[in-house]
């Protein structure tokens, strides 16, 4: 294990922002992780996974611990289900493809989401009508101060829309080591209700899709709308879709009858932030090297040399303009560092 100093994080964040870590170490197993935590008890620590959900606006004045734990395996199964465990440092999409190769169902709608397995529970990643929590069983995590391992069951994780206990009550206290998912071996519960998936399958003449077909459809849709971080720096959706009171929505809709919404509960609706941002005139706009993606207004992009501060400033301008026009606050989904 080597502690590096003044280490560039450009290749460790999908926005491709140039920022430095005061100290940086990659750990490849639990023993190494424990050793680092014990060796540097009083150092400020910053835990880094796939770097796909953060915006670095400054250098990190801390010991950055890159969690690079690898491995995936079947830990239990019966005729209908299989329980698989993946280590935190596994690339999410490669893990999803591995489950699909074996015809294990449940994660197909979550294909091609950037990031690592260990960070998926933190914000309960979701796409095309499915959330990670739907297949999640538990995760194991190490307490940063005591180095003790703890199991977080699904109930304990308190998952919500892009929310969990790891963003709230125990924020920055634990390092997720591994995650267990329960997947189907037969009678797969396909979720193709999300409009674009059905359309994509129909386009290819697929009437009875397999989980691989659904994954392929999701990959095609994502590729058509969302920029590949390897080509254009980004962090997926920069903002969350705001959830507002239905009563407020009904009032706003009088002025903006086209505004879409999805029912959340009897009293609440979710409004697509992408629509609000597009209507506010930002879609496809570029300010220096910071911009708003041309096909999906929820995604902010780095055309090359944007600083984290420039992207942050753009995000604030967008939030303010949307608020002035619609009276709706949109919140960042990515972690601003
Ligand atoms: N829309 C626009 N203009 C845009 C983008 C969206 O008008 O530029 C409107 C349209 O009305 C469209 C609706 O928003 O019908 C929904 O758009 P889309 O299907 O692209 O989904 P989203 O709500 O914008 C969410 C997730 C994405 C996920 C997609 C698909 C959030 C914050 N984002 O986006 O997640 O892939 O649904 O399920 O919930 C991510 O979290 O990084 C991410 C990409």
């Amino acid at each position: 294990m080597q502690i590096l100093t003044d280490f560039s994080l450009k290749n460790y964040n999908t926005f491709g922002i140039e920022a430095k870590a005061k100290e940086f170490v990659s750990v490849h197993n639990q023993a190494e992780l424990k050793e680092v935590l014990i060796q540097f008890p009083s150092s400020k620590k910053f835990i880094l996974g796939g770097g796909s959900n953060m915006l670095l606006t400054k250098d990190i004045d801390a010991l950055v611990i890159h969690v690079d734990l690898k491995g995936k395996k079947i830990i239990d199964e019966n005729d209908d289900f299989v329980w698989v465990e993946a280590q935190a440092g596994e690339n999410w999409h490669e893990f999803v493809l591995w489950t699909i190769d074996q015809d294990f169902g449940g994660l197909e709608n979550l294909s091609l989401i950037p990031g690592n397995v260990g960070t998926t529970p933190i914000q309960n990643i979701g796409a095309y009508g499915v959330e990670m929590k739907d297949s999640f069983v538990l995760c194991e995590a190490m307490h940063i101060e005591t180095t003790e391992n703890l199991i977080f069951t699904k109930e304990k994780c308190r998952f919500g829309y892009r929310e969990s206990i790891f963003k709230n009550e125990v924020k920055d206290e634990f390092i997720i080591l591994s995650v267990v998912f329960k997947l189907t071996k037969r009678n797969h519960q396909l979720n193709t209700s999300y409009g674009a998936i059905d359309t994509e399958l129909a386009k290819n003449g697929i009437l009875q899709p397999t989980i691989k077909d659904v994954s392929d459809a999701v990959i095609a849709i994502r590729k058509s709308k969302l920029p590949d971080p390897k080509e254009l720096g980004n962090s997926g959706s920069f903002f969350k879709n705001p959830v507002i009171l239905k009563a407020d929505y009904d009032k706003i809709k009088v002025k903006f009858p086209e505004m879409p919404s999805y029912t959340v509960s009897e009293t609440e609706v979710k409004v697509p932030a992408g629509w609000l941002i597009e209507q506010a005139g930002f879609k496809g706009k570029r300010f220096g090297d910071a911009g708003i993606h041309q096909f999906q207004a929820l995604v902010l992009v780095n055309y090359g040399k944007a600083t984290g501060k420039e992207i942050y400033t753009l995000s604030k301008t967008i939030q303010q303009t949307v608020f002035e026009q619609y009276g709706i606050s949109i919140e960042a989904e990515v972690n601003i560092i």
Side-chain angles (χ1 to χ4, degrees):
M1 254 185 330
Q2 206 189 349
I3 311 273
L4 303 160
T5 50
D6 282 329
F7 184 80
S8 168
L9 296 171
K10 192 173 167 64
N11 296 328
Y12 288 82
N13 71 100
T14 60
F15 251 124
I17 301 286
E18 180 56 87
K20 288 202 161 55
K22 188 175 152 210
E23 288 173 315
F24 178 94
V25 64
S26 247
V27 293
H28 306 99
N29 54 54
Q30 285 195 33
E32 283 186 359
L33 176 59
K34 204 167 185 151
E35 196 185 319
V36 169
L37 295 178
I38 291 171
Q39 210 180 330
F40 300 94
S42 52
S43 301
K44 242 173 83 187
K45 297 175 193 79
F46 181 94
I47 311 305
L48 178 67
S52 64
N53 200 41
M54 62 179 198
L55 176 67
L56 294 168
T57 62
K58 53 180 188 289
D59 290 341
I60 301 187
D61 184 27
L63 168 63
V64 172
I65 302 176
H66 177 227
V67 181
D68 200 22
L69 277 52
K70 299 280 194 217
K72 45 190 184 276
K73 61 175 191 238
I74 294 169
I75 53 169
D76 200 2
E77 62 186 308
N78 59 27
D79 288 346
D80 296 313
F81 299 103
V82 59
W83 283 258
V84 294
E85 180 189 72
Q87 299 299 307
E90 284 289 326
N91 173 273
W92 173 258
H93 180 56
E94 282 168 24
F95 170 62
V96 171
L97 291 183
W98 177 79
T99 64
I100 289 166
D101 268 354
Q102 297 171 86
D103 202 31
F104 298 157
L107 303 179
E108 55 281 357
N109 291 44
L110 305 177
S111 299
L112 209 63
I113 295 183
N116 287 353
V117 168
T119 39
T120 59
I122 298 177
Q123 59 149 347
N124 178 26
I125 59 168
Y128 307 103
V130 171
E131 287 183 336
M132 188 230 52
K133 76 166 167 49
D134 304 334
S135 303
F136 178 96
V137 178
L138 58 84
C139 65
E140 188 173 21
M142 192 181 284
H143 192 269
I144 294 177
E145 271 179 21
T146 66
T147 73
E148 265 169 50
N149 286 7
L150 210 81
I151 299 290
F152 285 83
T153 58
K154 189 161 164 171
E155 293 70 41
K156 209 166 167 185
C157 287
R158 300 159 64 95
F159 290 123
Y161 167 57
R162 299 295 195 272
E163 282 294 348
S164 78
I165 191 168
F166 301 106
K167 272 179 130 180
N168 297 288
E169 292 90 330
V170 300
K171 191 175 184 326
D172 298 331
E173 285 179 33
F174 285 90
I175 299 171
I176 295 173
L177 305 167
S178 60
V179 186
V180 175
F181 298 94
K182 181 184 176 186
L183 306 173
T184 49
K185 282 170 73 179
R186 58 184 189 191
N187 301 324
H188 301 309
Q189 304 293 310
L190 296 188
N191 193 330
T192 61
S193 54
Y194 203 92
I197 297 188
D198 266 344
T199 313
E200 183 67 29
L201 291 169
K203 202 173 87 187
N204 298 319
I206 298 167
L207 298 174
Q208 289 189 312
T210 62
I211 54 171
K212 170 89 168 55
D213 293 328
V214 175
S215 168
D216 287 345
V218 167
I219 290 172
I221 300 163
R222 289 189 75 97
K223 281 192 170 158
S224 73
K225 274 199 180 182
L226 296 166
D228 179 351
K230 287 195 193 95
E231 285 155 25
L232 189 60
N234 76 89
S235 216
S237 300
F238 193 92
F239 301 101
K240 287 200 239 183
N241 287 328
V243 175
I244 61 172
L245 287 174
K246 187 163 183 317
D248 290 340
Y249 173 75
D250 289 339
K251 278 185 218 148
I252 303 169
K253 200 171 158 78
V254 175
K255 208 169 156 201
F256 303 101
E258 308 290 310
M259 186 183 288
S261 71
Y262 310 102
T263 302
V264 172
S265 66
E266 261 178 36
T267 54
E268 289 173 316
V269 298
K270 201 188 264 182
V271 178
W275 187 90
L276 297 168
I277 298 166
E278 178 172 351
Q279 297 303 310
F282 285 105
K283 194 171 183 171
K285 287 268 168 65
R286 180 172 173 168
F287 304 84
D289 264 2
I292 300 97
H293 190 52
Q294 54 176 330
F295 301 133
Q296 167 51 291
L298 254 193
V299 179
L300 301 190
V301 295
N302 172 13
Y303 282 99
K305 291 208 157 57
T307 62
K309 282 210 172 82
E310 283 166 339
I311 291 179
Y312 180 66
T313 304
L314 175 57
S315 78
K316 285 284 157 201
T317 307
I318 293 171
Q319 281 172 321
Q320 201 181 331
T321 311
V322 165
F323 187 74
E324 279 163 11
Q325 287 195 12
Y326 302 98
I328 298 178
S329 299
I330 54 172
E331 223 183 277
E333 192 213 277
V334 304
N335 295 316
I336 317 277
I337 312 294

